[in-house]
Amino acid sequence: MEGEGNGYYSSGNIPGSKHFGLWPLSEAAEACFGTPEWPAGRVVPQASIEFEVANAEAVTAAGAELERAGFEMVHEARTEPWGQTVARLLTTDGLIVGISYAPALHDVPNGQHPG
């Protein structure tokens, strides 16, 4: 595991995973709500999982599909400063579920946009 600052530790060397990280609650709150404090009245997450999709457009489509299925999104698809596009929801039992496209996790020849 490598530290990336603010208590976040990660590894790209876990078999079966492209990226494994330990995400402090303050970082999750910042990513989801724009504040280091988890909002009162919201279930506190116990875990987070992100599903990687083919491209940024697929993140938007998946978020819209989840909303149509009745899920309340914590935030719709947005592109973070480091290039990852992500939409997230929070389950009633405390799981942050992200739909994500992180260009660095895809083998993209010559900077081409994947399919």
Side-chain angles (χ1 to χ4, degrees), residues 39 57 75 80 101:
E57 294 79 14
H75 65 78
E80 303 290 3
Y101 171 69

Side-chain angles (χ1 to χ4, degrees), residues 51-70:
F51 296 95
E52 191 69 15
V53 295
N55 54 47
E57 294 79 14
V59 173
T60 301
E65 185 175 338
L66 287 165
E67 283 184 314
R68 283 191 303 274

Side-chain angles (χ1 to χ4, degrees), residues 25-77:
L25 184 59
S26 62
E27 293 287 308
E30 190 72 44
C32 291
F33 301 105
T35 175
E37 297 295 324
W38 194 261
R42 289 275 194 158
V43 63
V44 176
Q46 302 302 305
S48 174
I49 187 168
E50 290 188 359
F51 296 95
E52 191 69 15
V53 295
N55 54 47
E57 294 79 14
V59 173
T60 301
E65 185 175 338
L66 287 165
E67 283 184 314
R68 283 191 303 274
F71 292 94
E72 178 185 346
M73 303 304 289
V74 171
H75 65 78
E76 295 181 352

Side-chain angles (χ1 to χ4, degrees), residues 72-105:
E72 178 185 346
M73 303 304 289
V74 171
H75 65 78
E76 295 181 352
R78 66 177 184 218
T79 302
E80 303 290 3
W82 51 90
Q84 174 191 28
T85 301
V86 62
R88 293 184 179 99
L89 64 88
L90 177 64
T91 67
T92 57
D93 56 351
L95 177 65
I96 297 172
V97 179
I99 308 300
S100 173
Y101 171 69
L105 298 179

